[in-house]
Amino acid sequence: MFPFYTRLSKTNNAKVAVLGASGGIGQPLSLLLKNSPLVGELSLFDIAHTPGVAADLSHIETRAHVTGYMGPDQLNAALKGCDVVVIPAGVPRKPGMTRDDLFNTNATIVATLADAVARNCPEAMICIIANPVNSTIPITSEVMKKYGVYNPNRVFGVTTLDIVRANAFVAELKGLDPARVNVPVIGGHAGKTIIPLISQATPKVEFPADQLSALTARIQDAGTEVVKAKAGAGSATLSMAYAGARFTFSVLDAMNGKEGVVECAYVRSEETECKYFSTPLLLGKHGIEKNLGLGKLSAFEENLVADAIGELKGSIKKGEDFVANMK
């Protein structure tokens, strides 16, 4: 998925900010971004340790220029002139927690960071990793609206890890090369709102009903699988960093004029009765060029969508209400 050194083009000089760059996702994500010729400047922000992370990364023999910013008084400077802002900031899950249990802490963090983006680089592509994504995207959107700078084509909830996991798990079951497998995953980014469209996978794959059900459940619960395995030491960080980098590179490729770049992401949507929904998106120079929609679903997948709508609507309302009630 990452031909790092083969993607040179004339406009590869993007300034990318990582907000939450010292954390479990932020550090490996920043490393992957530093390794890419698509990035000209890497701006790293966090509330602690960023000068050290930036110094460390700056010694790598790739051309991205790295600067570290630390603490609230340096946030504005970190964002000036950024083309893309990736936000892995926030607290991770511990065993027994749902993504929604993170809401109170992470909602405030994301709202604060979105506020700074709205003031400093309102035209940047915004890629939100901070959970619960089902609520943090509505939060980001509402904050941008307050400043009159909201562009729904530039605000993305990064669900790429669900696709990456689906690709890996399907490849494992079928003995395929995971780099050649593509499984669209739609809906949201938590539990039963994660809807893998195995019927649309390329290459075409088929599973008996019981295996399909187990595979779907594993994709939906894969984050919890990692949280349990780490036994209190955090949640998915390395695979999330890979997925976040993959999505960021796709956004940058499309901004550079590459055609046919498609990624799933959780965005403002008219595809279902939910205001926000993840589907495959054709990316372009200005963000979303075209929403490719849900496509043809199997009966099993239609039921998954129907089951997800209620929870998604609740998460969306929770995010919108949070901003409406902010002091």
Side-chain angles (χ1 to χ4, degrees), residues 221-271:
D221 298 332
T224 305
E225 191 180 303
V226 176
V227 170
K228 282 181 181 164
K230 288 195 174 181
S235 56
T237 52
L238 302 170
S239 52
M240 184 61 247
Y242 168 87
R246 171 183 145 166
F247 184 77
T248 305
F249 297 147
S250 287
V251 167
L252 290 168
D253 271 340
M255 289 170 78
N256 285 342
K258 184 175 175 181
E259 295 190 354
V261 179
V262 175
E263 289 281 1
C264 296
Y266 180 70
V267 297
R268 182 77 178 85
S269 175
E270 307 291 334
E271 300 301 316

Side-chain angles (χ1 to χ4, degrees), residues 10-68:
K10 293 185 188 67
T11 48
N12 288 338
N13 214 21
K15 182 171 183 180
V16 179
V18 179
L19 308 184
S22 304
I25 299 166
Q27 290 202 40
L29 173 59
S30 299
L31 172 62
L32 292 170
L33 294 173
K34 170 69 174 130
N35 209 19
S36 168
L38 294 168
V39 180
E41 279 186 78
L42 194 53
S43 179
L44 307 182
F45 172 83
D46 213 319
I47 53 172
H49 310 305
T50 353
V53 174
D56 195 354
L57 288 176
S58 73
H59 293 181
I60 292 172
E61 54 179 356
T62 54
R63 67 189 194 89
H65 181 261
V66 186
T67 315

Side-chain angles (χ1 to χ4, degrees), residues 35-298:
N35 209 19
S36 168
L38 294 168
V39 180
E41 279 186 78
L42 194 53
S43 179
L44 307 182
F45 172 83
D46 213 319
I47 53 172
H49 310 305
T50 353
V53 174
D56 195 354
L57 288 176
S58 73
H59 293 181
I60 292 172
E61 54 179 356
T62 54
R63 67 189 194 89
H65 181 261
V66 186
T67 315
Y69 300 89
M70 189 169 72
D73 52 339
Q74 293 187 8
L75 177 56
N76 292 337
L79 289 167
K80 285 276 184 282
C82 286
D83 302 299
V84 178
V85 179
V86 191
I87 307 187
V91 295
R93 285 197 288 162
K94 296 274 199 300
M97 288 175 84
T98 66
R99 288 182 180 88
D100 201 49
D101 292 334
L102 304 173
F103 183 91
N104 290 338
T105 305
N106 288 0
T108 305
I109 293 169
V110 170
T112 303
L113 297 175
D115 187 281
V117 172
R119 288 182 288 103
N120 292 286
C121 53
E123 299 200 342
M125 304 293 176
I126 308 171
C127 308
I128 307 277
I129 292 169
N131 274 312
V133 165
N134 290 357
S135 299
T136 55
I137 286 298
I139 287 170
T140 303
S141 303
E142 293 302 309
V143 170
M144 301 298 279
K145 283 179 195 173
K146 282 192 167 183
Y147 285 92
V149 294
Y150 175 55
N151 182 341
N153 294 325
R154 292 173 182 259
V155 180
F156 303 94
V158 179
T159 62
T160 315
L161 183 51
D162 299 323
I163 291 86
V164 165
R165 285 167 167 158
N167 293 348
F169 300 166
V170 166
E172 192 182 348
L173 288 171
K174 292 293 186 187
L176 299 165
D177 173 1
R180 306 214 175 280
V181 176
N182 182 35
V183 181
V185 182
I186 65 169
H189 183 59
K192 70 177 185 182
T193 70
I194 298 169
I195 303 163
L197 303 183
I198 306 294
S199 74
Q200 294 181 24
T202 51
K204 190 164 175 46
V205 291
E206 288 185 0
F207 296 96
D210 57 337
Q211 200 179 15
L212 177 62
S213 189
L215 171 62
T216 299
R218 187 181 178 207
I219 293 164
Q220 291 176 330
D221 298 332
T224 305
E225 191 180 303
V226 176
V227 170
K228 282 181 181 164
K230 288 195 174 181
S235 56
T237 52
L238 302 170
S239 52
M240 184 61 247
Y242 168 87
R246 171 183 145 166
F247 184 77
T248 305
F249 297 147
S250 287
V251 167
L252 290 168
D253 271 340
M255 289 170 78
N256 285 342
K258 184 175 175 181
E259 295 190 354
V261 179
V262 175
E263 289 281 1
C264 296
Y266 180 70
V267 297
R268 182 77 178 85
S269 175
E270 307 291 334
E271 300 301 316
T272 67
E273 58 195 90
C274 292
K275 253 192 228 182
Y276 297 86
F277 203 84
S278 179
T279 44
L281 309 167
L282 177 64
L283 301 175
K285 290 188 174 181
H286 308 290
I288 301 171
E289 197 159 288
K290 188 180 182 200
N291 192 319
L292 302 178
L294 286 71
K296 189 176 186 314
L297 305 184
S298 68

